[in-house]
Amino acid sequence: MSDWSKVTRPIPVPNEWTKPFWDAAKQEVLALQRCQSCGHLQHPPYPTCTQCMGIDLKFEPVEGKGKIYAYTIMYHTGDKRFAPAVPYASIIVELDAAPGALLAGNLLDAPYTEAKVGRPVEVVFQKLNDDITLPQFRLAR
Ligand SMILES: [Zn+2]
């Protein structure tokens, strides 16, 4: 199983659109943009609603349960910082609460062979430093 404790990963840099997402993650809350005009939840954050082009968007907490939408197994280390984790699963998760909203992460606490399309997963929070906590996923319990 991948040893993520020895991986020093690149740290995401929040911007004006993603800062509320990262601020919530730091509190171990998964928060997505909801369009105040049509109610659509979307991720990643955009300046406008991808459904109605509305610009009144607010972040709100959502339940961190979903299913693996796609995955890839990383066998090589283009970035040597990930060497202790190889091979590992990079997954795309579609949240049950937000169909169409796709989050990228890793499948933690499971062998990479457990990554399968459609498998239920739940969010876990991996603190990277005092500013950034990364939403990640494990198999749903
Ligand atoms: Zn909308």
Side-chain angles (χ1 to χ4, degrees), residues 40-100:
H40 177 67
L41 278 166
Q42 63 186 15
H43 188 84
Y46 294 98
T48 60
C49 173
T50 58
Q51 297 298 302
C52 77
M53 298 299 285
I55 57 170
D56 187 7
L57 301 160
K58 290 190 171 62
F59 282 80
E60 64 179 56
V62 295
E63 191 177 18
K65 294 184 183 303
K67 293 179 182 61
I68 297 176
Y69 179 88
Y71 69 91
T72 188
I73 307 303
M74 308 300 287
Y75 294 100
H76 302 284
T77 51
D79 183 330
K80 297 294 181 209
R81 292 174 288 189
F82 287 88
V86 167
Y88 63 91
S90 285
I91 62 175
I92 303 295
V93 173
E94 184 173 39
L95 295 176
D96 295 339

Side-chain angles (χ1 to χ4, degrees), residues 91-123:
I91 62 175
I92 303 295
V93 173
E94 184 173 39
L95 295 176
D96 295 339
L102 302 175
L103 283 87
N106 298 115
L107 181 63
L108 304 185
D109 303 330
Y112 68 92
T113 49
E114 294 298 312
K116 305 287 181 202
V117 170
R119 186 159 278 184
V121 291
E122 60 191 11
V123 73

